[in-house]
mmCIF file of all heavy atoms in Angstrom:
data_model
loop_
_atom_site.group_PDB
_atom_site.id
_atom_site.type_symbol
_atom_site.label_atom_id
_atom_site.label_comp_id
_atom_site.label_asym_id
_atom_site.label_seq_id
_atom_site.Cartn_x
_atom_site.Cartn_y
_atom_site.Cartn_z
ATOM 1 N N MET A 1 86.046 99.426 98.786
ATOM 2 C CA MET A 1 86.500 100.732 99.206
ATOM 3 C C MET A 1 85.278 101.648 99.278
ATOM 4 O O MET A 1 84.480 101.689 98.356
ATOM 5 C CB MET A 1 87.534 101.255 98.200
ATOM 6 C CG MET A 1 88.028 102.645 98.475
ATOM 7 S SD MET A 1 89.242 103.305 97.279
ATOM 8 C CE MET A 1 90.659 102.309 97.593
ATOM 9 N N THR A 2 85.184 102.380 100.359
ATOM 10 C CA THR A 2 84.106 103.364 100.481
ATOM 11 C C THR A 2 84.555 104.682 99.860
ATOM 12 O O THR A 2 85.743 104.871 99.586
ATOM 13 C CB THR A 2 83.754 103.620 101.961
ATOM 14 O OG1 THR A 2 84.865 104.240 102.606
ATOM 15 C CG2 THR A 2 83.376 102.327 102.677
ATOM 16 N N MET A 3 83.613 105.591 99.683
ATOM 17 C CA MET A 3 83.974 106.877 99.115
ATOM 18 C C MET A 3 84.922 107.623 100.048
ATOM 19 O O MET A 3 85.885 108.235 99.592
ATOM 20 C CB MET A 3 82.737 107.723 98.855
ATOM 21 C CG MET A 3 83.070 109.020 98.140
ATOM 22 S SD MET A 3 81.616 109.885 97.626
ATOM 23 C CE MET A 3 82.024 111.509 98.194
ATOM 24 N N LYS A 4 84.668 107.548 101.338
ATOM 25 C CA LYS A 4 85.542 108.215 102.300
ATOM 26 C C LYS A 4 86.962 107.670 102.197
ATOM 27 O O LYS A 4 87.931 108.433 102.172
ATOM 28 C CB LYS A 4 85.003 108.024 103.716
ATOM 29 C CG LYS A 4 85.835 108.713 104.757
ATOM 30 C CD LYS A 4 85.300 108.483 106.159
ATOM 31 C CE LYS A 4 86.244 109.163 107.138
ATOM 32 N NZ LYS A 4 86.070 108.706 108.485
ATOM 33 N N ASP A 5 87.098 106.349 102.123
ATOM 34 C CA ASP A 5 88.418 105.726 101.992
ATOM 35 C C ASP A 5 89.093 106.157 100.693
ATOM 36 O O ASP A 5 90.292 106.421 100.658
ATOM 37 C CB ASP A 5 88.302 104.194 102.010
ATOM 38 C CG ASP A 5 87.845 103.654 103.348
ATOM 39 O OD1 ASP A 5 88.010 104.336 104.373
ATOM 40 O OD2 ASP A 5 87.295 102.531 103.356
ATOM 41 N N ALA A 6 88.314 106.207 99.620
ATOM 42 C CA ALA A 6 88.855 106.583 98.312
ATOM 43 C C ALA A 6 89.383 108.011 98.335
ATOM 44 O O ALA A 6 90.510 108.274 97.895
ATOM 45 C CB ALA A 6 87.779 106.426 97.242
ATOM 46 N N VAL A 7 88.589 108.930 98.863
ATOM 47 C CA VAL A 7 89.002 110.331 98.914
ATOM 48 C C VAL A 7 90.235 110.495 99.807
ATOM 49 O O VAL A 7 91.185 111.205 99.452
ATOM 50 C CB VAL A 7 87.842 111.234 99.384
ATOM 51 C CG1 VAL A 7 88.316 112.648 99.659
ATOM 52 C CG2 VAL A 7 86.727 111.245 98.342
ATOM 53 N N GLU A 8 90.258 109.818 100.938
ATOM 54 C CA GLU A 8 91.413 109.900 101.841
ATOM 55 C C GLU A 8 92.676 109.356 101.181
ATOM 56 O O GLU A 8 93.747 109.943 101.300
ATOM 57 C CB GLU A 8 91.128 109.162 103.143
ATOM 58 C CG GLU A 8 90.146 109.890 104.041
ATOM 59 C CD GLU A 8 89.775 109.113 105.295
ATOM 60 O OE1 GLU A 8 90.235 107.953 105.464
ATOM 61 O OE2 GLU A 8 89.015 109.664 106.103
ATOM 62 N N ALA A 9 92.555 108.241 100.455
ATOM 63 C CA ALA A 9 93.708 107.664 99.759
ATOM 64 C C ALA A 9 94.198 108.616 98.673
ATOM 65 O O ALA A 9 95.408 108.795 98.487
ATOM 66 C CB ALA A 9 93.335 106.312 99.157
ATOM 67 N N TYR A 10 93.260 109.247 97.963
ATOM 68 C CA TYR A 10 93.627 110.195 96.908
ATOM 69 C C TYR A 10 94.354 111.398 97.506
ATOM 70 O O TYR A 10 95.385 111.826 96.989
ATOM 71 C CB TYR A 10 92.375 110.643 96.151
ATOM 72 C CG TYR A 10 92.701 111.485 94.940
ATOM 73 C CD1 TYR A 10 92.868 110.893 93.697
ATOM 74 C CD2 TYR A 10 92.859 112.862 95.027
ATOM 75 C CE1 TYR A 10 93.174 111.647 92.578
ATOM 76 C CE2 TYR A 10 93.176 113.625 93.926
ATOM 77 C CZ TYR A 10 93.328 113.013 92.695
ATOM 78 O OH TYR A 10 93.650 113.772 91.602
ATOM 79 N N ILE A 11 93.829 111.929 98.597
ATOM 80 C CA ILE A 11 94.446 113.086 99.247
ATOM 81 C C ILE A 11 95.834 112.733 99.758
ATOM 82 O O ILE A 11 96.770 113.519 99.616
ATOM 83 C CB ILE A 11 93.549 113.611 100.385
ATOM 84 C CG1 ILE A 11 92.294 114.252 99.791
ATOM 85 C CG2 ILE A 11 94.299 114.605 101.263
ATOM 86 C CD1 ILE A 11 91.232 114.612 100.816
ATOM 87 N N GLU A 12 95.973 111.550 100.311
ATOM 88 C CA GLU A 12 97.287 111.117 100.809
ATOM 89 C C GLU A 12 98.304 111.034 99.675
ATOM 90 O O GLU A 12 99.459 111.414 99.826
ATOM 91 C CB GLU A 12 97.163 109.759 101.497
ATOM 92 C CG GLU A 12 98.445 109.287 102.138
ATOM 93 C CD GLU A 12 98.260 107.978 102.876
ATOM 94 O OE1 GLU A 12 97.229 107.816 103.550
ATOM 95 O OE2 GLU A 12 99.149 107.115 102.761
ATOM 96 N N LYS A 13 97.852 110.583 98.517
ATOM 97 C CA LYS A 13 98.750 110.399 97.369
ATOM 98 C C LYS A 13 99.055 111.718 96.651
ATOM 99 O O LYS A 13 100.193 111.993 96.291
ATOM 100 C CB LYS A 13 98.113 109.409 96.390
ATOM 101 C CG LYS A 13 98.860 109.177 95.113
ATOM 102 C CD LYS A 13 99.894 108.136 95.286
ATOM 103 C CE LYS A 13 100.511 107.789 93.958
ATOM 104 N NZ LYS A 13 101.543 106.803 94.086
ATOM 105 N N PHE A 14 98.013 112.536 96.420
ATOM 106 C CA PHE A 14 98.165 113.712 95.574
ATOM 107 C C PHE A 14 98.052 115.049 96.312
ATOM 108 O O PHE A 14 98.288 116.089 95.722
ATOM 109 C CB PHE A 14 97.146 113.675 94.440
ATOM 110 C CG PHE A 14 97.302 112.485 93.526
ATOM 111 C CD1 PHE A 14 96.365 111.469 93.517
ATOM 112 C CD2 PHE A 14 98.394 112.373 92.681
ATOM 113 C CE1 PHE A 14 96.497 110.368 92.678
ATOM 114 C CE2 PHE A 14 98.540 111.282 91.838
ATOM 115 C CZ PHE A 14 97.588 110.273 91.839
ATOM 116 N N GLY A 15 97.659 115.035 97.568
ATOM 117 C CA GLY A 15 97.633 116.258 98.363
ATOM 118 C C GLY A 15 96.333 117.031 98.374
ATOM 119 O O GLY A 15 96.210 118.018 99.075
ATOM 120 N N GLY A 16 95.358 116.630 97.621
ATOM 121 C CA GLY A 16 94.067 117.305 97.586
ATOM 122 C C GLY A 16 93.113 116.529 96.709
ATOM 123 O O GLY A 16 93.528 115.633 95.972
ATOM 124 N N PHE A 17 91.820 116.844 96.795
ATOM 125 C CA PHE A 17 90.833 116.137 95.984
ATOM 126 C C PHE A 17 90.009 117.135 95.190
ATOM 127 O O PHE A 17 89.522 118.125 95.735
ATOM 128 C CB PHE A 17 89.901 115.295 96.866
ATOM 129 C CG PHE A 17 88.984 114.412 96.073
ATOM 130 C CD1 PHE A 17 89.456 113.248 95.492
ATOM 131 C CD2 PHE A 17 87.669 114.767 95.880
ATOM 132 C CE1 PHE A 17 88.616 112.443 94.733
ATOM 133 C CE2 PHE A 17 86.816 113.971 95.133
ATOM 134 C CZ PHE A 17 87.286 112.804 94.564
ATOM 135 N N PRO A 18 89.809 116.899 93.888
ATOM 136 C CA PRO A 18 89.052 117.824 93.040
ATOM 137 C C PRO A 18 87.527 117.629 93.166
ATOM 138 O O PRO A 18 86.864 117.149 92.258
ATOM 139 C CB PRO A 18 89.541 117.479 91.631
ATOM 140 C CG PRO A 18 89.855 116.023 91.710
ATOM 141 C CD PRO A 18 90.401 115.823 93.107
ATOM 142 N N TYR A 19 86.987 118.012 94.319
ATOM 143 C CA TYR A 19 85.554 117.836 94.564
ATOM 144 C C TYR A 19 84.700 118.473 93.475
ATOM 145 O O TYR A 19 83.661 117.938 93.107
ATOM 146 C CB TYR A 19 85.173 118.437 95.919
ATOM 147 C CG TYR A 19 85.682 117.660 97.102
ATOM 148 C CD1 TYR A 19 86.796 118.085 97.806
ATOM 149 C CD2 TYR A 19 85.049 116.497 97.520
ATOM 150 C CE1 TYR A 19 87.276 117.369 98.897
ATOM 151 C CE2 TYR A 19 85.507 115.779 98.612
ATOM 152 C CZ TYR A 19 86.623 116.223 99.301
ATOM 153 O OH TYR A 19 87.082 115.502 100.377
ATOM 154 N N TYR A 20 85.135 119.617 92.957
ATOM 155 C CA TYR A 20 84.355 120.355 91.962
ATOM 156 C C TYR A 20 84.101 119.543 90.693
ATOM 157 O O TYR A 20 83.123 119.796 89.983
ATOM 158 C CB TYR A 20 85.039 121.678 91.611
ATOM 159 C CG TYR A 20 86.395 121.521 90.961
ATOM 160 C CD1 TYR A 20 86.540 121.497 89.584
ATOM 161 C CD2 TYR A 20 87.548 121.377 91.738
ATOM 162 C CE1 TYR A 20 87.779 121.338 88.988
ATOM 163 C CE2 TYR A 20 88.787 121.224 91.151
ATOM 164 C CZ TYR A 20 88.903 121.200 89.783
ATOM 165 O OH TYR A 20 90.134 121.038 89.199
ATOM 166 N N LEU A 21 84.951 118.580 90.405
ATOM 167 C CA LEU A 21 84.764 117.761 89.207
ATOM 168 C C LEU A 21 83.685 116.699 89.390
ATOM 169 O O LEU A 21 83.255 116.081 88.415
ATOM 170 C CB LEU A 21 86.082 117.073 88.824
ATOM 171 C CG LEU A 21 87.206 117.984 88.366
ATOM 172 C CD1 LEU A 21 88.469 117.162 88.107
ATOM 173 C CD2 LEU A 21 86.815 118.761 87.122
ATOM 174 N N PHE A 22 83.259 116.492 90.624
ATOM 175 C CA PHE A 22 82.324 115.408 90.903
ATOM 176 C C PHE A 22 80.994 115.878 91.482
ATOM 177 O O PHE A 22 80.259 115.075 92.044
ATOM 178 C CB PHE A 22 82.985 114.401 91.854
ATOM 179 C CG PHE A 22 84.126 113.674 91.221
ATOM 180 C CD1 PHE A 22 85.429 114.051 91.494
ATOM 181 C CD2 PHE A 22 83.911 112.644 90.329
ATOM 182 C CE1 PHE A 22 86.494 113.396 90.901
ATOM 183 C CE2 PHE A 22 84.964 111.987 89.729
ATOM 184 C CZ PHE A 22 86.264 112.359 90.015
ATOM 185 N N LEU A 23 80.687 117.153 91.337
ATOM 186 C CA LEU A 23 79.415 117.654 91.841
ATOM 187 C C LEU A 23 78.268 116.917 91.147
ATOM 188 O O LEU A 23 78.201 116.855 89.923
ATOM 189 C CB LEU A 23 79.295 119.156 91.601
ATOM 190 C CG LEU A 23 80.283 120.022 92.370
ATOM 191 C CD1 LEU A 23 80.122 121.477 91.958
ATOM 192 C CD2 LEU A 23 80.089 119.875 93.861
ATOM 193 N N GLY A 24 77.401 116.314 91.920
ATOM 194 C CA GLY A 24 76.264 115.576 91.379
ATOM 195 C C GLY A 24 76.573 114.157 90.943
ATOM 196 O O GLY A 24 75.702 113.463 90.438
ATOM 197 N N SER A 25 77.796 113.688 91.145
ATOM 198 C CA SER A 25 78.186 112.338 90.724
ATOM 199 C C SER A 25 77.783 111.295 91.761
ATOM 200 O O SER A 25 77.686 111.582 92.946
ATOM 201 C CB SER A 25 79.700 112.258 90.528
ATOM 202 O OG SER A 25 80.120 113.111 89.506
ATOM 203 N N GLU A 26 77.569 110.093 91.292
ATOM 204 C CA GLU A 26 77.293 108.964 92.175
ATOM 205 C C GLU A 26 78.586 108.539 92.865
ATOM 206 O O GLU A 26 79.682 108.698 92.304
ATOM 207 C CB GLU A 26 76.746 107.777 91.365
ATOM 208 C CG GLU A 26 75.433 108.053 90.677
ATOM 209 C CD GLU A 26 74.270 108.106 91.653
ATOM 210 O OE1 GLU A 26 74.309 107.394 92.665
ATOM 211 O OE2 GLU A 26 73.331 108.879 91.385
ATOM 212 N N GLU A 27 78.463 107.979 94.060
ATOM 213 C CA GLU A 27 79.637 107.534 94.811
ATOM 214 C C GLU A 27 80.463 106.517 94.031
ATOM 215 O O GLU A 27 81.683 106.554 94.054
ATOM 216 C CB GLU A 27 79.227 106.950 96.160
ATOM 217 C CG GLU A 27 78.834 108.000 97.167
ATOM 218 C CD GLU A 27 78.623 107.435 98.559
ATOM 219 O OE1 GLU A 27 79.055 106.295 98.835
ATOM 220 O OE2 GLU A 27 78.024 108.151 99.375
ATOM 221 N N GLU A 28 79.790 105.612 93.332
ATOM 222 C CA GLU A 28 80.495 104.578 92.556
ATOM 223 C C GLU A 28 81.398 105.197 91.496
ATOM 224 O O GLU A 28 82.498 104.712 91.246
ATOM 225 C CB GLU A 28 79.486 103.635 91.905
ATOM 226 C CG GLU A 28 78.696 102.816 92.899
ATOM 227 C CD GLU A 28 77.570 102.038 92.231
ATOM 228 O OE1 GLU A 28 77.604 101.864 90.997
ATOM 229 O OE2 GLU A 28 76.674 101.608 92.953
ATOM 230 N N GLU A 29 80.926 106.255 90.862
ATOM 231 C CA GLU A 29 81.713 106.939 89.829
ATOM 232 C C GLU A 29 82.970 107.570 90.439
ATOM 233 O O GLU A 29 84.052 107.518 89.856
ATOM 234 C CB GLU A 29 80.858 108.011 89.161
ATOM 235 C CG GLU A 29 81.539 108.709 88.020
ATOM 236 C CD GLU A 29 80.655 109.755 87.356
ATOM 237 O OE1 GLU A 29 79.462 109.845 87.677
ATOM 238 O OE2 GLU A 29 81.193 110.480 86.516
ATOM 239 N N ILE A 30 82.809 108.170 91.603
ATOM 240 C CA ILE A 30 83.943 108.801 92.277
ATOM 241 C C ILE A 30 84.962 107.754 92.699
ATOM 242 O O ILE A 30 86.165 107.912 92.462
ATOM 243 C CB ILE A 30 83.458 109.608 93.500
ATOM 244 C CG1 ILE A 30 82.540 110.749 93.036
ATOM 245 C CG2 ILE A 30 84.643 110.144 94.300
ATOM 246 C CD1 ILE A 30 81.792 111.441 94.152
ATOM 247 N N ILE A 31 84.482 106.672 93.295
ATOM 248 C CA ILE A 31 85.375 105.595 93.739
ATOM 249 C C ILE A 31 86.134 105.027 92.550
ATOM 250 O O ILE A 31 87.349 104.813 92.618
ATOM 251 C CB ILE A 31 84.580 104.498 94.477
ATOM 252 C CG1 ILE A 31 84.031 105.055 95.798
ATOM 253 C CG2 ILE A 31 85.439 103.267 94.709
ATOM 254 C CD1 ILE A 31 82.992 104.174 96.461
ATOM 255 N N ASN A 32 85.437 104.797 91.437
ATOM 256 C CA ASN A 32 86.079 104.258 90.235
ATOM 257 C C ASN A 32 87.167 105.198 89.718
ATOM 258 O O ASN A 32 88.269 104.764 89.375
ATOM 259 C CB ASN A 32 85.031 104.008 89.156
ATOM 260 C CG ASN A 32 85.612 103.331 87.948
ATOM 261 O OD1 ASN A 32 86.404 102.396 88.065
ATOM 262 N ND2 ASN A 32 85.225 103.782 86.777
ATOM 263 N N ALA A 33 86.871 106.486 89.673
ATOM 264 C CA ALA A 33 87.850 107.470 89.193
ATOM 265 C C ALA A 33 89.080 107.504 90.095
ATOM 266 O O ALA A 33 90.213 107.589 89.622
ATOM 267 C CB ALA A 33 87.212 108.852 89.109
ATOM 268 N N VAL A 34 88.861 107.417 91.399
ATOM 269 C CA VAL A 34 89.980 107.430 92.343
ATOM 270 C C VAL A 34 90.823 106.169 92.189
ATOM 271 O O VAL A 34 92.056 106.240 92.175
ATOM 272 C CB VAL A 34 89.478 107.570 93.800
ATOM 273 C CG1 VAL A 34 90.595 107.315 94.796
ATOM 274 C CG2 VAL A 34 88.886 108.949 94.018
ATOM 275 N N GLU A 35 90.182 105.025 92.062
ATOM 276 C CA GLU A 35 90.932 103.774 91.886
ATOM 277 C C GLU A 35 91.801 103.832 90.636
ATOM 278 O O GLU A 35 92.958 103.421 90.662
ATOM 279 C CB GLU A 35 89.971 102.590 91.828
ATOM 280 C CG GLU A 35 89.357 102.264 93.177
ATOM 281 C CD GLU A 35 88.313 101.163 93.112
ATOM 282 O OE1 GLU A 35 87.793 100.850 92.010
ATOM 283 O OE2 GLU A 35 88.004 100.615 94.182
ATOM 284 N N ILE A 36 91.265 104.357 89.556
ATOM 285 C CA ILE A 36 92.034 104.481 88.312
ATOM 286 C C ILE A 36 93.205 105.440 88.513
ATOM 287 O O ILE A 36 94.327 105.160 88.085
ATOM 288 C CB ILE A 36 91.129 104.940 87.151
ATOM 289 C CG1 ILE A 36 90.156 103.827 86.789
ATOM 290 C CG2 ILE A 36 91.962 105.366 85.947
ATOM 291 C CD1 ILE A 36 89.056 104.243 85.829
ATOM 292 N N ALA A 37 92.955 106.567 89.165
ATOM 293 C CA ALA A 37 94.018 107.547 89.410
ATOM 294 C C ALA A 37 95.140 106.939 90.241
ATOM 295 O O ALA A 37 96.325 107.145 89.951
ATOM 296 C CB ALA A 37 93.452 108.781 90.112
ATOM 297 N N LEU A 38 94.786 106.184 91.259
ATOM 298 C CA LEU A 38 95.800 105.575 92.121
ATOM 299 C C LEU A 38 96.578 104.493 91.375
ATOM 300 O O LEU A 38 97.793 104.369 91.543
ATOM 301 C CB LEU A 38 95.154 105.000 93.383
ATOM 302 C CG LEU A 38 94.526 106.034 94.325
ATOM 303 C CD1 LEU A 38 93.784 105.321 95.462
ATOM 304 C CD2 LEU A 38 95.563 106.994 94.871
ATOM 305 N N GLU A 39 95.895 103.721 90.536
ATOM 306 C CA GLU A 39 96.554 102.654 89.781
ATOM 307 C C GLU A 39 97.495 103.215 88.719
ATOM 308 O O GLU A 39 98.559 102.655 88.474
ATOM 309 C CB GLU A 39 95.507 101.758 89.112
ATOM 310 C CG GLU A 39 94.752 100.876 90.082
ATOM 311 C CD GLU A 39 93.596 100.140 89.420
ATOM 312 O OE1 GLU A 39 93.436 100.215 88.183
ATOM 313 O OE2 GLU A 39 92.831 99.493 90.158
ATOM 314 N N THR A 40 97.086 104.307 88.070
ATOM 315 C CA THR A 40 97.889 104.869 86.984
ATOM 316 C C THR A 40 98.867 105.937 87.457
ATOM 317 O O THR A 40 99.679 106.418 86.672
ATOM 318 C CB THR A 40 96.978 105.488 85.903
ATOM 319 O OG1 THR A 40 96.218 106.549 86.481
ATOM 320 C CG2 THR A 40 96.075 104.440 85.279
ATOM 321 N N ASN A 41 98.733 106.330 88.719
ATOM 322 C CA ASN A 41 99.587 107.367 89.308
ATOM 323 C C ASN A 41 99.408 108.712 88.588
ATOM 324 O O ASN A 41 100.350 109.474 88.423
ATOM 325 C CB ASN A 41 101.049 106.944 89.324
ATOM 326 C CG ASN A 41 101.853 107.720 90.341
ATOM 327 O OD1 ASN A 41 101.339 108.119 91.381
ATOM 328 N ND2 ASN A 41 103.119 107.955 90.038
ATOM 329 N N LYS A 42 98.166 108.984 88.134
ATOM 330 C CA LYS A 42 97.841 110.242 87.460
ATOM 331 C C LYS A 42 96.673 110.898 88.178
ATOM 332 O O LYS A 42 95.656 110.262 88.436
ATOM 333 C CB LYS A 42 97.444 109.990 86.000
ATOM 334 C CG LYS A 42 98.586 109.495 85.155
ATOM 335 C CD LYS A 42 98.147 109.329 83.721
ATOM 336 C CE LYS A 42 99.287 108.808 82.874
ATOM 337 N NZ LYS A 42 98.888 108.613 81.478
ATOM 338 N N GLU A 43 96.824 112.195 88.467
ATOM 339 C CA GLU A 43 95.753 112.930 89.125
ATOM 340 C C GLU A 43 94.525 113.022 88.229
ATOM 341 O O GLU A 43 94.631 113.009 87.005
ATOM 342 C CB GLU A 43 96.220 114.334 89.483
ATOM 343 C CG GLU A 43 97.290 114.349 90.554
ATOM 344 C CD GLU A 43 97.632 115.758 90.993
ATOM 345 O OE1 GLU A 43 96.704 116.501 91.369
ATOM 346 O OE2 GLU A 43 98.825 116.091 90.950
ATOM 347 N N ILE A 44 93.368 113.147 88.844
ATOM 348 C CA ILE A 44 92.116 113.329 88.118
ATOM 349 C C ILE A 44 92.109 114.744 87.551
ATOM 350 O O ILE A 44 92.396 115.706 88.255
ATOM 351 C CB ILE A 44 90.912 113.115 89.055
ATOM 352 C CG1 ILE A 44 90.910 111.675 89.582
ATOM 353 C CG2 ILE A 44 89.614 113.437 88.340
ATOM 354 C CD1 ILE A 44 89.919 111.425 90.703
ATOM 355 N N ALA A 45 91.808 114.859 86.272
ATOM 356 C CA ALA A 45 91.805 116.157 85.593
ATOM 357 C C ALA A 45 90.472 116.351 84.885
ATOM 358 O O ALA A 45 89.799 115.383 84.538
ATOM 359 C CB ALA A 45 92.937 116.216 84.580
ATOM 360 N N PRO A 46 90.078 117.592 84.645
ATOM 361 C CA PRO A 46 88.834 117.847 83.919
ATOM 362 C C PRO A 46 88.922 117.305 82.491
ATOM 363 O O PRO A 46 89.996 117.310 81.893
ATOM 364 C CB PRO A 46 88.703 119.359 83.907
ATOM 365 C CG PRO A 46 89.906 119.916 84.530
ATOM 366 C CD PRO A 46 90.748 118.807 85.031
ATOM 367 N N MET A 47 87.804 116.851 81.960
ATOM 368 C CA MET A 47 87.771 116.338 80.597
ATOM 369 C C MET A 47 88.063 117.462 79.602
ATOM 370 O O MET A 47 88.710 117.251 78.602
ATOM 371 C CB MET A 47 86.437 115.703 80.288
ATOM 372 C CG MET A 47 86.172 114.440 81.033
ATOM 373 S SD MET A 47 84.578 113.802 80.577
ATOM 374 C CE MET A 47 84.961 112.075 80.485
ATOM 375 N N ASP A 48 87.569 118.663 79.889
ATOM 376 C CA ASP A 48 87.790 119.812 79.025
ATOM 377 C C ASP A 48 88.781 120.741 79.718
ATOM 378 O O ASP A 48 88.450 121.410 80.686
ATOM 379 C CB ASP A 48 86.473 120.537 78.777
ATOM 380 C CG ASP A 48 86.621 121.743 77.874
ATOM 381 O OD1 ASP A 48 87.740 122.025 77.396
ATOM 382 O OD2 ASP A 48 85.593 122.412 77.635
ATOM 383 N N SER A 49 89.994 120.781 79.216
ATOM 384 C CA SER A 49 91.028 121.570 79.862
ATOM 385 C C SER A 49 90.779 123.074 79.744
ATOM 386 O O SER A 49 91.381 123.866 80.441
ATOM 387 C CB SER A 49 92.404 121.241 79.273
ATOM 388 O OG SER A 49 92.429 121.553 77.897
ATOM 389 N N ASN A 50 89.846 123.475 78.880
ATOM 390 C CA ASN A 50 89.513 124.887 78.717
ATOM 391 C C ASN A 50 88.312 125.301 79.562
ATOM 392 O O ASN A 50 87.921 126.464 79.540
ATOM 393 C CB ASN A 50 89.223 125.213 77.250
ATOM 394 C CG ASN A 50 90.466 125.069 76.412
ATOM 395 O OD1 ASN A 50 91.559 125.437 76.838
ATOM 396 N ND2 ASN A 50 90.318 124.543 75.215
ATOM 397 N N ALA A 51 87.737 124.364 80.300
ATOM 398 C CA ALA A 51 86.559 124.662 81.114
ATOM 399 C C ALA A 51 86.938 125.590 82.258
ATOM 400 O O ALA A 51 88.038 125.550 82.782
ATOM 401 C CB ALA A 51 85.972 123.375 81.660
ATOM 402 N N ASP A 52 86.003 126.434 82.630
ATOM 403 C CA ASP A 52 86.216 127.378 83.718
ATOM 404 C C ASP A 52 85.403 126.919 84.920
ATOM 405 O O ASP A 52 84.195 127.141 84.978
ATOM 406 C CB ASP A 52 85.786 128.773 83.282
ATOM 407 C CG ASP A 52 86.108 129.826 84.320
ATOM 408 O OD1 ASP A 52 86.932 129.554 85.199
ATOM 409 O OD2 ASP A 52 85.539 130.931 84.222
ATOM 410 N N TYR A 53 86.056 126.286 85.884
ATOM 411 C CA TYR A 53 85.351 125.759 87.055
ATOM 412 C C TYR A 53 85.383 126.739 88.173
ATOM 413 O O TYR A 53 86.200 127.108 88.781
ATOM 414 C CB TYR A 53 85.965 124.436 87.495
ATOM 415 C CG TYR A 53 85.686 123.321 86.521
ATOM 416 C CD1 TYR A 53 86.608 122.983 85.548
ATOM 417 C CD2 TYR A 53 84.502 122.618 86.573
ATOM 418 C CE1 TYR A 53 86.371 121.970 84.656
ATOM 419 C CE2 TYR A 53 84.249 121.603 85.688
ATOM 420 C CZ TYR A 53 85.181 121.277 84.738
ATOM 421 O OH TYR A 53 84.932 120.272 83.860
#
């Protein structure tokens, strides 16, 4: 899966992609996070729920 495919699949499933959580991340990390989100049916969320993005 490419990053483009991963982001498109995530958007199709959840309606949007949290780009701000992946600023400076490697493509492999993003693809892995998306695959996990799609498998578990849980949206990607910030690690710190009190963070101000």
Side-chain angles (χ1 to χ4, degrees):
M1 176 181 291
T2 66
M3 185 171 133
K4 181 181 177 197
D5 293 337
V7 171
E8 287 176 357
Y10 187 92
I11 290 171
E12 185 177 319
K13 176 85 173 179
F14 299 110
F17 187 76
Y19 289 102
Y20 63 93
L21 293 176
F22 293 101
L23 294 176
S25 297
E26 297 287 328
E27 285 188 16
E28 294 172 18
E29 184 179 352
I30 297 169
I31 293 167
N32 186 43
V34 169
E35 288 175 342
I36 291 170
L38 295 174
E39 288 172 6
T40 61
N41 201 32
K42 293 183 181 179
E43 293 186 54
I44 298 169
M47 292 180 139
D48 180 2
S49 61
N50 293 321
D52 186 17
Y53 290 96

